[in-house]
Amino acid sequence: MTKTAVITGGTGGMGMATARILGTDHRIVLADLNQERIDAAIVELSASGIDASGTVCDITDRASVEKLMVFAEAGDHHVRAVVHTAGVSPQMGSAQFVAHINAIGTVNVTEAFLARAAEGDALVNVASVAGHGLPKVLVPSGAFPKAASDPVAFEKIIVRRSRVFGKKLHSGLAYSFSKAFVIWYSRKQAAAFGARGARIVSVSPGSFDTAMGKLEADHGAADLLTFSAIKRFGKPEEVAAVLAFSASEAPGYLTGTDILVDGGTRAGQEFKKS
Ligand SMILES: NC(=O)c1ccc[n+]([C@@H]2O[C@H](COP(=O)([O-])OP(=O)(O)OC[C@H]3O[C@@H](n4cnc5c(N)ncnc54)[C@H](O)[C@@H]3O)[C@@H](O)[C@H]2O)c1
């Protein structure tokens, strides 16, 4: 049977790079916000011999995510992997906007896939280095369980806590908290996926050369190179290799954890004084 992989944020930098790799042995279903961009991505992938299709999906809308899954399953296909790259960065909107898309979107995608996950399946959620190394007292982790049960209350707490360092860092902190949530939530869901013989991991990129990475370059992303071991932005295909491998059947014992792909940034921050 043909294997199917769904890629959210599929027309984005990391989404397309992942589609090029997973597409060598999976049928690819792209999900993103804009039909024209989806059509252009399908043309590009098809030209390389990849079986690609796609549909508009807003990950913040649970019904839209469910429609995506039904679209991907049409013709009696089974979705064996989801690579969830869809997300937004601090420069793209308010703290609430960022928390809503990154956190609630991840809950929607995870729950929709969990409901049909089977032996050998895998979900890879994209988090961020920004979700690592935050002072524990700062992170409103007590609110994290509410993301699934009471998303409005969850967002309110995230937005309120993000104000702690003033207006300038509001969206930035909400981004960090939303990605700390993705890491926490992916670990928390490991047992539920395991009960179905499936896996879930998060992958945390550092600064990567995509549309989003370029947008954030002058707002802190480029400063991280001071600490990184590799003094350049990562290439989309370098994180896509990890996303595709994590989603493949090969790492059958990899679940409930986060993989940091940050060019040694966190290591550099940790050892900067020694
Ligand atoms: N680029 C970086 O430096 C970097 C660093 C750390 C983490 N990340 C994370 O990596 C992931 C992929 O980022 P990228 O660099 O490929 O960015 P990108 O902007 O190229 O791609 C993101 C895609 O997500 C889509 N998207 C946004 N909101 C959506 C929604 N509501 N529903 C469906 N799709 C939606 C966008 O249309 C876009 O195509 C994101 O989650 C991002 O937070 C990126």
Side-chain angles (χ1 to χ4, degrees), residues 60-229:
T60 64
D61 176 355
R62 184 58 197 265
S64 180
V65 175
E66 189 57 35
K67 264 171 78 181
L68 159 66
M69 289 298 174
V70 170
F71 175 89
E73 290 165 343
D76 212 19
H77 287 291
H78 172 71
V79 177
R80 76 143 298 276
V82 174
V83 180
H84 171 44
T85 82
V88 287
S89 65
Q91 297 307 310
M92 294 179 185
S94 69
Q96 200 263 335
F97 176 80
V98 168
H100 189 60
I101 293 178
N102 291 352
I104 307 306
T106 297
V107 171
N108 288 340
V109 171
T110 302
E111 287 187 349
F113 186 42
L114 176 60
R116 60 245 299 154
E119 190 73 34
D121 294 352
L123 169 62
V124 182
N125 286 325
V126 179
S128 171
V129 66
H132 283 255
L134 295 161
K136 270 201 171 129
V137 288
L138 194 62
V139 184
S141 46
F144 285 179
K146 285 193 196 307
S149 61
D150 188 350
V152 175
F154 166 84
E155 279 174 29
K156 268 189 189 152
I157 296 168
I158 298 287
V159 169
R160 200 165 52 227
R161 182 67 64 85
S162 304
R163 289 200 188 105
V164 69
F165 295 133
K167 217 175 169 184
K168 212 176 150 205
L169 293 179
H170 198 191
S171 292
L173 264 188
Y175 180 78
S176 296
F177 294 156
S178 72
K179 294 301 190 176
F181 168 79
V182 172
I183 294 166
W184 174 88
Y185 182 67
S186 302
R187 287 170 59 82
K188 181 173 179 288
Q189 293 296 333
F193 275 80
R196 287 175 161 270
R199 300 181 296 105
I200 174 170
V201 297
S202 59
V203 169
S204 286
S207 299
F208 275 84
D209 200 6
T210 64
M212 182 185 293
K214 287 184 180 101
L215 190 64
E216 298 298 326
D218 295 335
H219 302 276
D223 298 341
L224 291 177
L225 298 184
T226 315
F227 304 105
S228 63

Side-chain angles (χ1 to χ4, degrees), residues 2-25:
T2 320
K3 296 183 284 185
T4 297
V6 167
I7 304 181
T8 71
T11 70
M14 293 185 195
M16 270 300 271
T18 306
R20 286 184 200 105
I21 303 173
L22 268 185
T24 57
D25 62 351

Side-chain angles (χ1 to χ4, degrees), residues 226-229 262-273:
T226 315
F227 304 105
S228 63
D262 70 343
T265 301
R266 284 294 306 143
Q269 287 172 330
E270 183 184 340
F271 292 104
K272 67 184 169 197
K273 288 196 185 109

